[in-house]
């Protein structure tokens, strides 16, 4: 048991999820791991645990971070607790017998070290049958383009969480244009400060509000592209 005073098993689902929000807030990785296991044993889907317990808990952390109630070291602990939970869910989300539907290179842009959302997108894309090459954080333009070319990827995905780093996505897209290879790739962008208008303005193919939307968008753009190629 992660906490001597509280047996997490005695909580009903609603109480347990609220407890998980508190535990994420307090950066208690072990308690998060235990709660994730309990919810799985109760028949919750990995996706519901991810979105209703972990992502929502992180949203709450974000509000207090914004308001100056939480600071970087505390938020790092929350992020680590979140990652501990995600590590359990990852193999369950990526379990798929489906044939590979496409290949994506994805990374967080230069100057930005936020990776929780990107990692989530990786998991969900893998779970949907995509091959994912994760470039990690703080990526300069060459990382995206060289890897996408080397790996023959169809999709380039970029993540940014800061208003100061999101403009870097345009640098990547403009470089693709300068090299004459923009139309060789589907470019998907995401991250909390972005929106559709921004994605349009920088010339991305689509803005993905969350990981589930990233999967749906990737699937539909890949099949559209395959259809267009078939009719050539
Ligand atoms: Co940061 N931080 N942070 N931080 N941090 C934010 C982003 C902030 C909004 C907090 C706030 O003020 N409320 C704020 C940005 C403000 C702004 O730009 N206007 C901020 C700040 C200011 C900073 C620092 C500058 C703080 C400082 O040092 N003073 C610093 C910057 C460091 C840097 O990057 N150079 C910093 C540092 C950190 C930590 C290291 C402490 C930690 C990151 C740990 C880590 O990622 N390993 C951290 C965290 C955890 C956050 C918050 C609290 C949570 C982010 C998160 O993980 N959300 C965040 C507040 C917030 O966003 N509410 C905040 C959960 C995640 C599941 O959601 O990432 O949005 P998200 O991903 C979603 C979608 O956006 C989408 O799908 C995901 C899943 O559904 N998506 C994609 C994301 N990427 C995609 C890519 C795709 C498709 C969809 O490609 C196809």
């Amino acid at each position: 048991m992660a906490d001597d005073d509280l047996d997490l098993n005695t909580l009903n689902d609603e109480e347990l999820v609220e407890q998980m929000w508190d535990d994420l807030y307090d950066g208690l990785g072990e308690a998060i791991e235990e709660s994730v296991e309990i919810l799985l044993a109760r028949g919750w889907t990995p996706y519901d645990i991810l979105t209703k317990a972990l992502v929502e808990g992180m949203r709450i952390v974000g509000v207090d971070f914004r308001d100056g109630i939480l600071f970087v070291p505390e938020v790092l602990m929350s992020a680590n607790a979140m990652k501990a939970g995600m590590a359990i869910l990852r193999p369950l989300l990526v379990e798929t017998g489906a044939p590979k539907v496409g290949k994506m290179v994805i990374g967080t842009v230069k100057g930005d070290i936020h990776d929780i959302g990107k990692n989530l997108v990786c998991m969900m894309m893998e779970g949907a049958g995509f091959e994912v090459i994760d470039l990690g954080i703080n990526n300069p333009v060459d990382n995206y383009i060289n890897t996408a070319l080397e790996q023959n990827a169809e999709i380039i995905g970029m993540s940014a969480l800061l208003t100061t780093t999101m403009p870097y996505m345009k640098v990547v897209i403009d470089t693709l244009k300068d090299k004459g290879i923009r139309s060789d790739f589907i470019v998907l962008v995401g991250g909390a400060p972005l929106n559709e208008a921004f994605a349009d303005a920088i010339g991305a193919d689509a803005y993905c509000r969350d990981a589930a939307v990233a999967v749906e968008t990737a699937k539909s753009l890949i099949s559209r592209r395959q259809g267009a190629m078939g009719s050539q």
Side-chain angles (χ1 to χ4, degrees):
M1 211 191 310
D3 184 331
D4 287 344
D5 301 319
L6 180 66
D7 181 354
L8 295 169
N9 273 298
T10 61
L11 303 179
N12 68 32
D13 287 9
E14 198 180 323
E15 290 164 344
L16 184 57
V17 167
E18 283 178 15
Q19 183 62 40
M20 287 174 79
W21 298 341
D22 285 350
D23 290 340
L24 259 185
Y25 194 94
D26 295 333
L28 302 177
E30 278 182 32
I32 289 295
E33 285 170 348
E34 191 181 337
S35 299
V36 167
E37 298 286 8
I38 293 172
L39 288 178
L40 283 171
R42 289 183 190 175
W44 277 52
T45 63
Y47 183 71
D48 274 354
I49 299 173
L50 200 58
T51 50
K52 294 181 182 155
L54 299 181
V55 173
E56 174 58 15
M58 221 42 211
R59 189 193 64 76
I60 297 167
V61 168
V63 171
D64 279 4
F65 189 27
R66 179 197 62 206
D67 295 344
I69 297 164
L70 287 176
F71 296 96
V72 170
E74 290 140 337
V75 177
L76 255 180
M77 286 177 68
S78 300
N80 287 338
M82 169 116 186
K83 285 183 177 181
M86 282 165 67
I88 299 172
L89 298 175
R90 183 187 169 89
L92 305 173
L93 282 165
V94 302
E95 236 167 45
T96 170
K100 291 289 168 241
V101 285
K103 205 187 257 193
M104 175 174 78
V105 168
I106 184 170
T108 305
V109 296
K110 189 173 168 186
D112 201 321
I113 63 167
H114 295 85
D115 67 354
I116 294 174
K118 169 194 62 69
N119 293 348
L120 241 158
V121 173
C122 291
M123 284 187 208
M124 299 278 294
M125 292 287 289
E126 284 175 2
F130 285 86
E131 188 176 340
V132 175
I133 297 140
D134 182 1
L135 299 172
I137 54 173
N138 193 23
N139 283 286
V141 54
D142 287 351
N143 285 9
Y144 291 100
I145 296 181
N146 294 346
T147 312
L149 288 170
E150 279 159 25
Q151 296 286 334
N152 213 5
E154 290 96 352
I155 303 173
I156 295 178
M158 291 187 271
S159 180
L161 265 288
L162 300 171
T163 45
T164 49
T165 57
M166 55 193 249
Y168 195 77
M169 293 174 162
K170 185 169 185 315
V171 174
V172 177
I173 292 172
D174 287 349
T175 310
L176 287 169
K177 286 182 187 160
D178 292 345
K179 289 180 184 286
I181 53 172
R182 171 64 186 90
S183 59
D184 293 353
F185 301 101
I186 294 165
V187 178
L188 302 181
V189 294
L194 277 65
N195 56 33
E196 213 155 329
F198 174 78
D200 285 348
I202 63 170
D205 289 294
Y207 159 67
C208 307
R209 189 182 65 243
D210 59 31
V213 170
V215 167
E216 288 317 312
T217 309
K219 277 188 188 163
S220 98
L221 293 181
I222 284 266
S223 68
R224 202 186 299 169
R225 168 179 286 229
Q226 284 164 351
M229 283 165 116
S231 62
Q232 271 171 12

